[in-house]
Amino acid sequence: SSDLRIDRQEADPTFEHITELVETASAEHSREAADAVKRLHRTEGLVFTATALGFAVGLVLLAAFAVAAVGYQRGLLRQAAENEYQAQHDALTGLPNRQLFAERVTEALANGGSTAVFILDLDRFKEVNDTLGHQYGDELLKQGATRTSTMVRAGSGDIVARLSGDEFAVLLPGATEKSAVEIAERLLGKLHQTFNLGDVSVDVEAG
């Protein structure tokens, strides 16, 4: 039989070539792996940046929405308060109207004790309104409302209302008969004074 012999001069170059190929492939693989890691890091950075930016934009939008919602709610509350006030007050004089006056009378009676109520009108209002015009009639009503309001007791719950046309009402919760009579006399005296309606002066009677 013949023995297998390997010529080292022929084997060594082949081995070295294989080793070189392996090392080259390994180096290329390492470079590709490193590049892949770099790309991954860049991608993660972009994702993080986009996420942070999106989160910031979301916060800004949320804050803007919250401000708008609060403003809208305040607007609704303000509008509701204005509507309630208009429903309970006379547009010309600003006095409580018949509805609010009736509510206050009911409350005063429910609380017990004495309560005085005056109903009065300006006797010459129709004459002034028909002769001089609505502008003078409206001014007479506004001045009459102001004079009547100055005659009630401050901080006592007294209320002056315009019921309709030239008809006014005064509520004096807890007033004694004597104090109610005194207030009524002063009120009539105030209303019997001359009214200056711009370029016209008129005298009216209240009853």
Side-chain angles (χ1 to χ4, degrees):
S1 63
S2 59
D3 295 332
L4 178 63
R5 294 182 181 181
I6 298 176
D7 189 346
R8 293 187 57 85
Q9 292 182 348
E10 295 180 359
D12 286 347
T14 303
F15 178 77
E16 290 177 359
H17 180 65
I18 294 174
T19 301
E20 184 180 351
L21 291 176
V22 172
E23 290 177 351
T24 301
S26 178
E28 291 180 355
H29 178 73
S30 297
R31 284 196 300 272
E32 291 178 356
D35 291 341
V37 171
K38 291 180 181 179
R39 289 195 298 271
L40 177 61
H41 287 168
R42 285 198 299 269
T43 303
E44 290 176 346
L46 291 174
V47 171
F48 176 78
T49 301
T51 303
L53 181 60
F55 182 71
V57 172
L59 285 180
V60 171
L61 293 177
L62 180 61
F65 177 77
V67 171
V70 170
Y72 180 71
Q73 184 180 26
R74 289 178 178 175
L76 290 178
L77 293 175
R78 183 168 55 252
Q79 185 62 48
E82 291 176 358
N83 291 342
E84 182 179 5
Y85 180 87
Q86 292 173 1
Q88 296 180 332
H89 291 78
D90 175 55
L92 177 64
T93 63
L95 294 177
N97 58 17
R98 180 185 294 272
Q99 173 187 338
L100 183 55
F101 185 77
E103 292 177 2
R104 293 293 183 267
V105 171
T106 301
E107 292 174 0
L109 295 176
N111 292 333
S114 59
T115 298
V117 175
F118 306 151
I119 305 294
L120 54 92
D121 54 28
L122 304 178
D123 292 340
R124 295 190 59 195
F125 166 74
K126 188 176 186 305
E127 178 184 342
V128 171
N129 200 55
D130 293 344
T131 304
L132 301 178
H134 294 294
Q135 178 180 352
Y136 291 91
D138 289 348
E139 182 61 26
L140 177 59
L141 290 174
K142 289 190 286 187
Q143 291 190 25
T146 300
R147 292 189 185 186
T148 304
S149 298
T150 60
M151 292 294 100
V152 297
R153 303 164 300 172
S156 61
D158 295 354
I159 185 173
V160 178
R162 182 188 177 198
L163 302 185
S164 63
D166 64 339
E167 187 177 39
F168 294 87
V170 180
L171 170 65
L172 307 174
T176 63
E177 181 179 353
K178 179 180 178 181
S179 63
V181 171
E182 291 175 350
I183 292 173
E185 290 176 348
R186 291 201 306 270
L187 176 57
L188 291 176
K190 191 76 171 179
L191 292 176
H192 288 166
Q193 296 176 11
T194 301
F195 287 84
N196 296 314
L197 310 178
D199 57 344
V200 178
S201 297
V202 298
D203 294 320
V204 300
E205 295 180 359

